[in-house]
Amino acid sequence: MSTSLEPSVAAAAKYEPVIGLEVHVQLLTATKIFCSCSTRFGAPPNSNVCPVCLGMPGALPVLNRKVVEYAALAAMALNCRINETSIFARKNYFYPDLPKGYQISQYDKPLAEHGFIEVPSDGGRKRIGITRVHLEEDAGKSLHEGFSDAAEKTAIDLNRTGVPLIEIVSEPDIATPDEAYEYLTRLKEIILYTGVSDCNMEEGSLRCDANVSVRPRGQKEFGTKTEIKNVNSFRFIREALVYEIARQIEVVESGGKITQETRLYNANEGKTYGMRSKEQAHDYRYFPEPDLLPLVVDEKWKAEITKALPELPEARRQRMVKEYGITDYDAQVLTFSKSLADQFEAAAKAAKNPKRVANLVQSELMGRLKAKGVEIEQSPISMKGVAVSADLVESGTISGKMLKDLYDLCFERGKDFPQVYDEEGRPQQSTDTSALEKIIDEVLAANPKQLEQYRAGKKTMLGFFVGQVMKASKGQANPQLVNELLIKKLG
Ligand code: ADP
Ligand code: ZN
Ligand code: MG
């Protein structure tokens, strides 16, 4: 993306961006946070509502236990400490899709604090601090489009009011748009592994607001920040930050001042636009929610929740690199989703030689996928299929060359390995000694020069002969057997 705002390299180098992200994640509970209405996405407008989530006077909220468990699980996965006692608070503001006139959130005593996410940075790793993870209810949705007449109208759908959210607030530790992108990618991956959200950005299950400021390099105090809201992909957030940083540097360089404000990103133009000046916390008049008791997560409950904590992606990658001898890159690909990593490990563990499964994925599968431009999730050969083929090689039933040919057929036909293996009549490599000996005689007769060299002491010629015999057998010979027979024949 190119923007019209590109401060000179010299000007850009004088400044250092500071970025902090606020991420809202919708929890996958069946019912809302304070009532038993369904959270299902896509239901007819205003069908999943009741007096509690509509904010009728006198209706009382009752906290959903599952919401607390999901939120705590996510917080733990983000290395946060769970506060034994946290407090719900009212955040007061007027908005048409907020019928109560306030949102129940948490303020000075959030559910969890002091976490971090590690991101790759400069060839090493960097910790981005997580200030807090707190619980809150979602607001409704204003619909500005889809009306038959041209008049400007807005409709309100309150199905989303009271849907459970966690807000994950980062420390201003992020130094570049790329780091912001990495942070979000890791965050999403971790949350997906815990299973508490589907993190579907199109459906609004994951939303991110990006705070950004610039300061002269070496200055301690932060500059004034702006907040970019409602950006609907990680890529656009990165682009929006690139633009916004350049804009701020321009303003400051030309002697201007940054106004603290909320800005919107227009992805078509690659620009941000000022929307409104940002409210200060005191404008919200936060106060403790009188209709809800303090939330207590005691040690016993915490221990129960901890049991549901899966092995997290980074730890899993490190273990897989060690356990299967694969590269960091392949571990990254294989842990793309928890389900893929589970499939791989289940297949590898059931195979005779787990490392061979990993090797085949690395040496035979990845390249073919890449050549075809197919993601591993759409691979014609499943992890189970790789394991079946690995066992066939391991037992000597098929040769490496045969496996390669069979993989090619799988990709041509878009079918899994076991099926193609059957279709091909379950071929086996040749272990017929007399047939092989005949081929060996032919090969030796056809290559007198090489034979002479071998006899003169050039033992590396053995490899050449093995290769020739394999070729003559169309890859169907057992290489080990060929080796043995050749040595015997050559004396
Ligand atoms: P606000 O009161 O405006 O919501 P917070 O202090 O709660 O501000 O911070 C909100 C987010 O903005 C956090 O992720 C924080 O790390 C980040 N942040 C705070 N100050 C700055 C700054 N000067 N520049 C960039 N990001 C900042
Ligand atoms: Zn309800
Ligand atoms: Mg804040």
PDB file of all heavy atoms in Angstrom, residues 338-374:
ATOM      1  N   LYS A 338      -5.197 -26.153  16.253  1.00  0.00           N
ATOM      2  CA  LYS A 338      -5.064 -27.212  17.243  1.00  0.00           C
ATOM      3  C   LYS A 338      -5.476 -28.539  16.621  1.00  0.00           C
ATOM      4  O   LYS A 338      -4.854 -29.575  16.859  1.00  0.00           O
ATOM      5  CB  LYS A 338      -5.928 -26.903  18.462  1.00  0.00           C
ATOM      6  CG  LYS A 338      -5.793 -27.916  19.563  1.00  0.00           C
ATOM      7  CD  LYS A 338      -6.441 -27.418  20.844  1.00  0.00           C
ATOM      8  CE  LYS A 338      -6.293 -28.427  21.958  1.00  0.00           C
ATOM      9  NZ  LYS A 338      -7.026 -29.669  21.678  1.00  0.00           N
ATOM     10  N   SER A 339      -6.506 -28.485  15.789  1.00  0.00           N
ATOM     11  CA  SER A 339      -7.014 -29.733  15.216  1.00  0.00           C
ATOM     12  C   SER A 339      -5.971 -30.378  14.298  1.00  0.00           C
ATOM     13  O   SER A 339      -5.767 -31.588  14.323  1.00  0.00           O
ATOM     14  CB  SER A 339      -8.342 -29.454  14.513  1.00  0.00           C
ATOM     15  OG  SER A 339      -8.315 -29.859  13.186  1.00  0.00           O
ATOM     16  N   LEU A 340      -5.280 -29.560  13.504  1.00  0.00           N
ATOM     17  CA  LEU A 340      -4.249 -30.104  12.623  1.00  0.00           C
ATOM     18  C   LEU A 340      -3.114 -30.715  13.443  1.00  0.00           C
ATOM     19  O   LEU A 340      -2.652 -31.833  13.154  1.00  0.00           O
ATOM     20  CB  LEU A 340      -3.694 -29.008  11.710  1.00  0.00           C
ATOM     21  CG  LEU A 340      -2.558 -29.451  10.792  1.00  0.00           C
ATOM     22  CD1 LEU A 340      -3.054 -30.444   9.750  1.00  0.00           C
ATOM     23  CD2 LEU A 340      -1.905 -28.252  10.117  1.00  0.00           C
ATOM     24  N   ALA A 341      -2.687 -29.986  14.471  1.00  0.00           N
ATOM     25  CA  ALA A 341      -1.597 -30.491  15.310  1.00  0.00           C
ATOM     26  C   ALA A 341      -2.018 -31.791  15.993  1.00  0.00           C
ATOM     27  O   ALA A 341      -1.237 -32.743  16.090  1.00  0.00           O
ATOM     28  CB  ALA A 341      -1.208 -29.442  16.350  1.00  0.00           C
ATOM     29  N   ASP A 342      -3.266 -31.847  16.433  1.00  0.00           N
ATOM     30  CA  ASP A 342      -3.777 -33.072  17.061  1.00  0.00           C
ATOM     31  C   ASP A 342      -3.769 -34.231  16.069  1.00  0.00           C
ATOM     32  O   ASP A 342      -3.359 -35.349  16.397  1.00  0.00           O
ATOM     33  CB  ASP A 342      -5.210 -32.863  17.579  1.00  0.00           C
ATOM     34  CG  ASP A 342      -5.249 -31.966  18.815  1.00  0.00           C
ATOM     35  OD1 ASP A 342      -4.168 -31.732  19.406  1.00  0.00           O
ATOM     36  OD2 ASP A 342      -6.348 -31.498  19.179  1.00  0.00           O
ATOM     37  N   GLN A 343      -4.226 -33.952  14.833  1.00  0.00           N
ATOM     38  CA  GLN A 343      -4.258 -35.008  13.813  1.00  0.00           C
ATOM     39  C   GLN A 343      -2.849 -35.520  13.523  1.00  0.00           C
ATOM     40  O   GLN A 343      -2.617 -36.719  13.421  1.00  0.00           O
ATOM     41  CB  GLN A 343      -4.830 -34.468  12.503  1.00  0.00           C
ATOM     42  CG  GLN A 343      -6.330 -34.281  12.491  1.00  0.00           C
ATOM     43  CD  GLN A 343      -6.736 -33.461  11.281  1.00  0.00           C
ATOM     44  OE1 GLN A 343      -6.229 -33.662  10.183  1.00  0.00           O
ATOM     45  NE2 GLN A 343      -7.646 -32.519  11.480  1.00  0.00           N
ATOM     46  N   PHE A 344      -1.924 -34.567  13.386  1.00  0.00           N
ATOM     47  CA  PHE A 344      -0.548 -34.960  13.087  1.00  0.00           C
ATOM     48  C   PHE A 344       0.014 -35.838  14.204  1.00  0.00           C
ATOM     49  O   PHE A 344       0.565 -36.910  13.955  1.00  0.00           O
ATOM     50  CB  PHE A 344       0.351 -33.732  12.902  1.00  0.00           C
ATOM     51  CG  PHE A 344       1.816 -34.078  12.960  1.00  0.00           C
ATOM     52  CD1 PHE A 344       2.430 -34.729  11.898  1.00  0.00           C
ATOM     53  CD2 PHE A 344       2.571 -33.791  14.090  1.00  0.00           C
ATOM     54  CE1 PHE A 344       3.767 -35.074  11.955  1.00  0.00           C
ATOM     55  CE2 PHE A 344       3.907 -34.137  14.158  1.00  0.00           C
ATOM     56  CZ  PHE A 344       4.510 -34.781  13.098  1.00  0.00           C
ATOM     57  N   GLU A 345      -0.165 -35.380  15.434  1.00  0.00           N
ATOM     58  CA  GLU A 345       0.455 -36.120  16.537  1.00  0.00           C
ATOM     59  C   GLU A 345      -0.199 -37.484  16.740  1.00  0.00           C
ATOM     60  O   GLU A 345       0.483 -38.461  17.062  1.00  0.00           O
ATOM     61  CB  GLU A 345       0.413 -35.283  17.814  1.00  0.00           C
ATOM     62  CG  GLU A 345       1.375 -34.109  17.720  1.00  0.00           C
ATOM     63  CD  GLU A 345       1.962 -33.734  19.058  1.00  0.00           C
ATOM     64  OE1 GLU A 345       2.986 -34.326  19.442  1.00  0.00           O
ATOM     65  OE2 GLU A 345       1.382 -32.856  19.730  1.00  0.00           O
ATOM     66  N   ALA A 346      -1.516 -37.536  16.551  1.00  0.00           N
ATOM     67  CA  ALA A 346      -2.202 -38.826  16.700  1.00  0.00           C
ATOM     68  C   ALA A 346      -1.679 -39.801  15.638  1.00  0.00           C
ATOM     69  O   ALA A 346      -1.371 -40.959  15.940  1.00  0.00           O
ATOM     70  CB  ALA A 346      -3.712 -38.637  16.556  1.00  0.00           C
ATOM     71  N   ALA A 347      -1.543 -39.312  14.389  1.00  0.00           N
ATOM     72  CA  ALA A 347      -1.059 -40.166  13.300  1.00  0.00           C
ATOM     73  C   ALA A 347       0.388 -40.585  13.556  1.00  0.00           C
ATOM     74  O   ALA A 347       0.751 -41.757  13.408  1.00  0.00           O
ATOM     75  CB  ALA A 347      -1.172 -39.434  11.974  1.00  0.00           C
ATOM     76  N   ALA A 348       1.209 -39.624  13.962  1.00  0.00           N
ATOM     77  CA  ALA A 348       2.630 -39.913  14.182  1.00  0.00           C
ATOM     78  C   ALA A 348       2.793 -40.945  15.294  1.00  0.00           C
ATOM     79  O   ALA A 348       3.587 -41.887  15.181  1.00  0.00           O
ATOM     80  CB  ALA A 348       3.379 -38.633  14.517  1.00  0.00           C
ATOM     81  N   LYS A 349       2.020 -40.774  16.364  1.00  0.00           N
ATOM     82  CA  LYS A 349       2.172 -41.669  17.513  1.00  0.00           C
ATOM     83  C   LYS A 349       1.697 -43.082  17.181  1.00  0.00           C
ATOM     84  O   LYS A 349       2.206 -44.057  17.726  1.00  0.00           O
ATOM     85  CB  LYS A 349       1.406 -41.109  18.715  1.00  0.00           C
ATOM     86  CG  LYS A 349       2.070 -39.846  19.251  1.00  0.00           C
ATOM     87  CD  LYS A 349       1.910 -39.670  20.752  1.00  0.00           C
ATOM     88  CE  LYS A 349       2.928 -38.673  21.282  1.00  0.00           C
ATOM     89  NZ  LYS A 349       2.411 -37.284  21.272  1.00  0.00           N
ATOM     90  N   ALA A 350       0.707 -43.193  16.288  1.00  0.00           N
ATOM     91  CA  ALA A 350       0.189 -44.510  15.937  1.00  0.00           C
ATOM     92  C   ALA A 350       1.091 -45.213  14.921  1.00  0.00           C
ATOM     93  O   ALA A 350       0.987 -46.413  14.719  1.00  0.00           O
ATOM     94  CB  ALA A 350      -1.227 -44.375  15.371  1.00  0.00           C
ATOM     95  N   ALA A 351       1.981 -44.459  14.279  1.00  0.00           N
ATOM     96  CA  ALA A 351       2.851 -45.047  13.258  1.00  0.00           C
ATOM     97  C   ALA A 351       4.013 -45.783  13.914  1.00  0.00           C
ATOM     98  O   ALA A 351       4.328 -45.564  15.073  1.00  0.00           O
ATOM     99  CB  ALA A 351       3.368 -43.956  12.329  1.00  0.00           C
ATOM    100  N   LYS A 352       4.673 -46.655  13.102  1.00  0.00           N
ATOM    101  CA  LYS A 352       5.796 -47.425  13.638  1.00  0.00           C
ATOM    102  C   LYS A 352       6.938 -46.510  14.039  1.00  0.00           C
ATOM    103  O   LYS A 352       7.628 -46.755  15.019  1.00  0.00           O
ATOM    104  CB  LYS A 352       6.298 -48.406  12.570  1.00  0.00           C
ATOM    105  CG  LYS A 352       5.286 -49.496  12.233  1.00  0.00           C
ATOM    106  CD  LYS A 352       5.977 -50.638  11.466  1.00  0.00           C
ATOM    107  CE  LYS A 352       4.999 -51.736  11.094  1.00  0.00           C
ATOM    108  NZ  LYS A 352       4.373 -51.518   9.764  1.00  0.00           N
ATOM    109  N   ASN A 353       7.152 -45.451  13.218  1.00  0.00           N
ATOM    110  CA  ASN A 353       8.256 -44.541  13.472  1.00  0.00           C
ATOM    111  C   ASN A 353       7.771 -43.096  13.328  1.00  0.00           C
ATOM    112  O   ASN A 353       7.697 -42.576  12.221  1.00  0.00           O
ATOM    113  CB  ASN A 353       9.380 -44.856  12.478  1.00  0.00           C
ATOM    114  CG  ASN A 353      10.573 -43.936  12.658  1.00  0.00           C
ATOM    115  OD1 ASN A 353      10.531 -42.973  13.424  1.00  0.00           O
ATOM    116  ND2 ASN A 353      11.635 -44.231  11.937  1.00  0.00           N
ATOM    117  N   PRO A 354       7.420 -42.460  14.455  1.00  0.00           N
ATOM    118  CA  PRO A 354       6.833 -41.113  14.411  1.00  0.00           C
ATOM    119  C   PRO A 354       7.696 -40.110  13.641  1.00  0.00           C
ATOM    120  O   PRO A 354       7.186 -39.251  12.940  1.00  0.00           O
ATOM    121  CB  PRO A 354       6.752 -40.709  15.885  1.00  0.00           C
ATOM    122  CG  PRO A 354       6.728 -42.000  16.629  1.00  0.00           C
ATOM    123  CD  PRO A 354       7.548 -42.963  15.829  1.00  0.00           C
ATOM    124  N   LYS A 355       9.014 -40.249  13.765  1.00  0.00           N
ATOM    125  CA  LYS A 355       9.894 -39.298  13.074  1.00  0.00           C
ATOM    126  C   LYS A 355       9.769 -39.406  11.567  1.00  0.00           C
ATOM    127  O   LYS A 355       9.898 -38.429  10.855  1.00  0.00           O
ATOM    128  CB  LYS A 355      11.349 -39.531  13.471  1.00  0.00           C
ATOM    129  CG  LYS A 355      11.757 -38.680  14.643  1.00  0.00           C
ATOM    130  CD  LYS A 355      13.251 -38.529  14.748  1.00  0.00           C
ATOM    131  CE  LYS A 355      13.544 -37.588  15.897  1.00  0.00           C
ATOM    132  NZ  LYS A 355      14.910 -37.580  16.318  1.00  0.00           N
ATOM    133  N   ARG A 356       9.518 -40.633  11.099  1.00  0.00           N
ATOM    134  CA  ARG A 356       9.367 -40.801   9.652  1.00  0.00           C
ATOM    135  C   ARG A 356       8.128 -40.067   9.163  1.00  0.00           C
ATOM    136  O   ARG A 356       8.132 -39.485   8.078  1.00  0.00           O
ATOM    137  CB  ARG A 356       9.310 -42.281   9.268  1.00  0.00           C
ATOM    138  CG  ARG A 356       9.414 -42.469   7.764  1.00  0.00           C
ATOM    139  CD  ARG A 356       9.233 -43.906   7.346  1.00  0.00           C
ATOM    140  NE  ARG A 356      10.344 -44.765   7.675  1.00  0.00           N
ATOM    141  CZ  ARG A 356      11.456 -44.868   6.944  1.00  0.00           C
ATOM    142  NH1 ARG A 356      11.614 -44.118   5.883  1.00  0.00           N
ATOM    143  NH2 ARG A 356      12.407 -45.703   7.293  1.00  0.00           N
ATOM    144  N   VAL A 357       7.072 -40.083   9.972  1.00  0.00           N
ATOM    145  CA  VAL A 357       5.858 -39.347   9.600  1.00  0.00           C
ATOM    146  C   VAL A 357       6.179 -37.861   9.471  1.00  0.00           C
ATOM    147  O   VAL A 357       5.833 -37.208   8.489  1.00  0.00           O
ATOM    148  CB  VAL A 357       4.736 -39.568  10.640  1.00  0.00           C
ATOM    149  CG1 VAL A 357       3.514 -38.734  10.291  1.00  0.00           C
ATOM    150  CG2 VAL A 357       4.364 -41.046  10.718  1.00  0.00           C
ATOM    151  N   ALA A 358       6.891 -37.348  10.477  1.00  0.00           N
ATOM    152  CA  ALA A 358       7.265 -35.930  10.449  1.00  0.00           C
ATOM    153  C   ALA A 358       8.143 -35.624   9.242  1.00  0.00           C
ATOM    154  O   ALA A 358       7.957 -34.620   8.563  1.00  0.00           O
ATOM    155  CB  ALA A 358       7.988 -35.567  11.737  1.00  0.00           C
ATOM    156  N   ASN A 359       9.087 -36.535   8.968  1.00  0.00           N
ATOM    157  CA  ASN A 359       9.989 -36.326   7.827  1.00  0.00           C
ATOM    158  C   ASN A 359       9.235 -36.304   6.515  1.00  0.00           C
ATOM    159  O   ASN A 359       9.531 -35.509   5.635  1.00  0.00           O
ATOM    160  CB  ASN A 359      11.046 -37.440   7.763  1.00  0.00           C
ATOM    161  CG  ASN A 359      12.127 -37.229   8.791  1.00  0.00           C
ATOM    162  OD1 ASN A 359      12.305 -36.098   9.271  1.00  0.00           O
ATOM    163  ND2 ASN A 359      12.817 -38.278   9.160  1.00  0.00           N
ATOM    164  N   LEU A 360       8.261 -37.208   6.385  1.00  0.00           N
ATOM    165  CA  LEU A 360       7.495 -37.259   5.138  1.00  0.00           C
ATOM    166  C   LEU A 360       6.670 -35.990   4.958  1.00  0.00           C
ATOM    167  O   LEU A 360       6.566 -35.463   3.858  1.00  0.00           O
ATOM    168  CB  LEU A 360       6.591 -38.489   5.109  1.00  0.00           C
ATOM    169  CG  LEU A 360       7.308 -39.819   4.869  1.00  0.00           C
ATOM    170  CD1 LEU A 360       6.317 -40.974   4.870  1.00  0.00           C
ATOM    171  CD2 LEU A 360       8.060 -39.784   3.546  1.00  0.00           C
ATOM    172  N   VAL A 361       6.095 -35.517   6.065  1.00  0.00           N
ATOM    173  CA  VAL A 361       5.334 -34.269   5.977  1.00  0.00           C
ATOM    174  C   VAL A 361       6.263 -33.180   5.456  1.00  0.00           C
ATOM    175  O   VAL A 361       5.942 -32.423   4.546  1.00  0.00           O
ATOM    176  CB  VAL A 361       4.763 -33.871   7.355  1.00  0.00           C
ATOM    177  CG1 VAL A 361       4.230 -32.443   7.317  1.00  0.00           C
ATOM    178  CG2 VAL A 361       3.656 -34.836   7.771  1.00  0.00           C
ATOM    179  N   GLN A 362       7.468 -33.167   6.025  1.00  0.00           N
ATOM    180  CA  GLN A 362       8.427 -32.120   5.685  1.00  0.00           C
ATOM    181  C   GLN A 362       8.969 -32.277   4.267  1.00  0.00           C
ATOM    182  O   GLN A 362       9.003 -31.336   3.495  1.00  0.00           O
ATOM    183  CB  GLN A 362       9.568 -32.195   6.700  1.00  0.00           C
ATOM    184  CG  GLN A 362      10.537 -31.048   6.660  1.00  0.00           C
ATOM    185  CD  GLN A 362      11.358 -31.023   7.943  1.00  0.00           C
ATOM    186  OE1 GLN A 362      10.955 -30.452   8.931  1.00  0.00           O
ATOM    187  NE2 GLN A 362      12.512 -31.652   7.912  1.00  0.00           N
ATOM    188  N   SER A 363       9.374 -33.511   3.914  1.00  0.00           N
ATOM    189  CA  SER A 363      10.103 -33.676   2.653  1.00  0.00           C
ATOM    190  C   SER A 363       9.178 -33.944   1.477  1.00  0.00           C
ATOM    191  O   SER A 363       9.511 -33.591   0.352  1.00  0.00           O
ATOM    192  CB  SER A 363      11.113 -34.815   2.779  1.00  0.00           C
ATOM    193  OG  SER A 363      10.433 -36.030   3.013  1.00  0.00           O
ATOM    194  N   GLU A 364       8.051 -34.566   1.698  1.00  0.00           N
ATOM    195  CA  GLU A 364       7.194 -34.946   0.565  1.00  0.00           C
ATOM    196  C   GLU A 364       5.887 -34.174   0.473  1.00  0.00           C
ATOM    197  O   GLU A 364       5.389 -33.920  -0.613  1.00  0.00           O
ATOM    198  CB  GLU A 364       6.884 -36.449   0.614  1.00  0.00           C
ATOM    199  CG  GLU A 364       8.099 -37.349   0.593  1.00  0.00           C
ATOM    200  CD  GLU A 364       8.970 -37.155  -0.658  1.00  0.00           C
ATOM    201  OE1 GLU A 364       8.443 -36.740  -1.694  1.00  0.00           O
ATOM    202  OE2 GLU A 364      10.189 -37.410  -0.564  1.00  0.00           O
ATOM    203  N   LEU A 365       5.317 -33.824   1.629  1.00  0.00           N
ATOM    204  CA  LEU A 365       3.986 -33.210   1.590  1.00  0.00           C
ATOM    205  C   LEU A 365       4.041 -31.698   1.351  1.00  0.00           C
ATOM    206  O   LEU A 365       3.369 -31.164   0.473  1.00  0.00           O
ATOM    207  CB  LEU A 365       3.237 -33.519   2.892  1.00  0.00           C
ATOM    208  CG  LEU A 365       1.743 -33.223   2.878  1.00  0.00           C
ATOM    209  CD1 LEU A 365       1.037 -34.023   1.795  1.00  0.00           C
ATOM    210  CD2 LEU A 365       1.109 -33.522   4.232  1.00  0.00           C
ATOM    211  N   MET A 366       4.865 -31.009   2.170  1.00  0.00           N
ATOM    212  CA  MET A 366       4.891 -29.537   2.130  1.00  0.00           C
ATOM    213  C   MET A 366       5.188 -28.999   0.729  1.00  0.00           C
ATOM    214  O   MET A 366       4.529 -28.086   0.261  1.00  0.00           O
ATOM    215  CB  MET A 366       5.958 -28.996   3.085  1.00  0.00           C
ATOM    216  CG  MET A 366       5.697 -29.312   4.540  1.00  0.00           C
ATOM    217  SD  MET A 366       4.217 -28.506   5.165  1.00  0.00           S
ATOM    218  CE  MET A 366       4.450 -28.794   6.914  1.00  0.00           C
ATOM    219  N   GLY A 367       6.190 -29.556   0.077  1.00  0.00           N
ATOM    220  CA  GLY A 367       6.586 -29.069  -1.235  1.00  0.00           C
ATOM    221  C   GLY A 367       5.465 -29.234  -2.250  1.00  0.00           C
ATOM    222  O   GLY A 367       5.192 -28.332  -3.048  1.00  0.00           O
ATOM    223  N   ARG A 368       4.805 -30.388  -2.200  1.00  0.00           N
ATOM    224  CA  ARG A 368       3.702 -30.619  -3.146  1.00  0.00           C
ATOM    225  C   ARG A 368       2.540 -29.670  -2.878  1.00  0.00           C
ATOM    226  O   ARG A 368       1.886 -29.198  -3.807  1.00  0.00           O
ATOM    227  CB  ARG A 368       3.226 -32.074  -3.052  1.00  0.00           C
ATOM    228  CG  ARG A 368       4.180 -33.059  -3.717  1.00  0.00           C
ATOM    229  CD  ARG A 368       3.694 -34.490  -3.559  1.00  0.00           C
ATOM    230  NE  ARG A 368       4.498 -35.430  -4.334  1.00  0.00           N
ATOM    231  CZ  ARG A 368       5.680 -35.898  -3.944  1.00  0.00           C
ATOM    232  NH1 ARG A 368       6.177 -35.509  -2.773  1.00  0.00           N
ATOM    233  NH2 ARG A 368       6.359 -36.733  -4.686  1.00  0.00           N
ATOM    234  N   LEU A 369       2.278 -29.419  -1.598  1.00  0.00           N
ATOM    235  CA  LEU A 369       1.203 -28.482  -1.250  1.00  0.00           C
ATOM    236  C   LEU A 369       1.536 -27.096  -1.793  1.00  0.00           C
ATOM    237  O   LEU A 369       0.703 -26.407  -2.370  1.00  0.00           O
ATOM    238  CB  LEU A 369       1.010 -28.418   0.265  1.00  0.00           C
ATOM    239  CG  LEU A 369       0.420 -29.663   0.920  1.00  0.00           C
ATOM    240  CD1 LEU A 369       0.471 -29.547   2.439  1.00  0.00           C
ATOM    241  CD2 LEU A 369      -1.032 -29.869   0.480  1.00  0.00           C
ATOM    242  N   LYS A 370       2.780 -26.708  -1.571  1.00  0.00           N
ATOM    243  CA  LYS A 370       3.210 -25.384  -1.989  1.00  0.00           C
ATOM    244  C   LYS A 370       3.123 -25.255  -3.519  1.00  0.00           C
ATOM    245  O   LYS A 370       2.615 -24.251  -4.029  1.00  0.00           O
ATOM    246  CB  LYS A 370       4.636 -25.136  -1.522  1.00  0.00           C
ATOM    247  CG  LYS A 370       4.919 -23.671  -1.310  1.00  0.00           C
ATOM    248  CD  LYS A 370       6.191 -23.425  -0.539  1.00  0.00           C
ATOM    249  CE  LYS A 370       6.581 -21.966  -0.706  1.00  0.00           C
ATOM    250  NZ  LYS A 370       8.023 -21.784  -0.593  1.00  0.00           N
ATOM    251  N   ALA A 371       3.590 -26.288  -4.201  1.00  0.00           N
ATOM    252  CA  ALA A 371       3.566 -26.253  -5.663  1.00  0.00           C
ATOM    253  C   ALA A 371       2.133 -26.127  -6.174  1.00  0.00           C
ATOM    254  O   ALA A 371       1.878 -25.513  -7.206  1.00  0.00           O
ATOM    255  CB  ALA A 371       4.207 -27.513  -6.222  1.00  0.00           C
ATOM    256  N   LYS A 372       1.207 -26.705  -5.433  1.00  0.00           N
ATOM    257  CA  LYS A 372      -0.194 -26.668  -5.860  1.00  0.00           C
ATOM    258  C   LYS A 372      -0.931 -25.448  -5.303  1.00  0.00           C
ATOM    259  O   LYS A 372      -2.064 -25.182  -5.676  1.00  0.00           O
ATOM    260  CB  LYS A 372      -0.901 -27.945  -5.395  1.00  0.00           C
ATOM    261  CG  LYS A 372      -1.536 -28.633  -6.594  1.00  0.00           C
ATOM    262  CD  LYS A 372      -2.486 -29.719  -6.248  1.00  0.00           C
ATOM    263  CE  LYS A 372      -3.343 -29.924  -7.489  1.00  0.00           C
ATOM    264  NZ  LYS A 372      -4.069 -31.142  -7.515  1.00  0.00           N
ATOM    265  N   GLY A 373      -0.253 -24.727  -4.390  1.00  0.00           N
ATOM    266  CA  GLY A 373      -0.889 -23.565  -3.777  1.00  0.00           C
ATOM    267  C   GLY A 373      -2.044 -23.953  -2.879  1.00  0.00           C
ATOM    268  O   GLY A 373      -3.056 -23.267  -2.804  1.00  0.00           O
ATOM    269  N   VAL A 374      -1.884 -25.079  -2.186  1.00  0.00           N
ATOM    270  CA  VAL A 374      -2.959 -25.581  -1.327  1.00  0.00           C
ATOM    271  C   VAL A 374      -2.512 -25.498   0.137  1.00  0.00           C
ATOM    272  O   VAL A 374      -1.365 -25.800   0.450  1.00  0.00           O
ATOM    273  CB  VAL A 374      -3.275 -27.054  -1.683  1.00  0.00           C
ATOM    274  CG1 VAL A 374      -4.361 -27.615  -0.779  1.00  0.00           C
ATOM    275  CG2 VAL A 374      -3.677 -27.173  -3.136  1.00  0.00           C
TER     276      VAL A 374
END
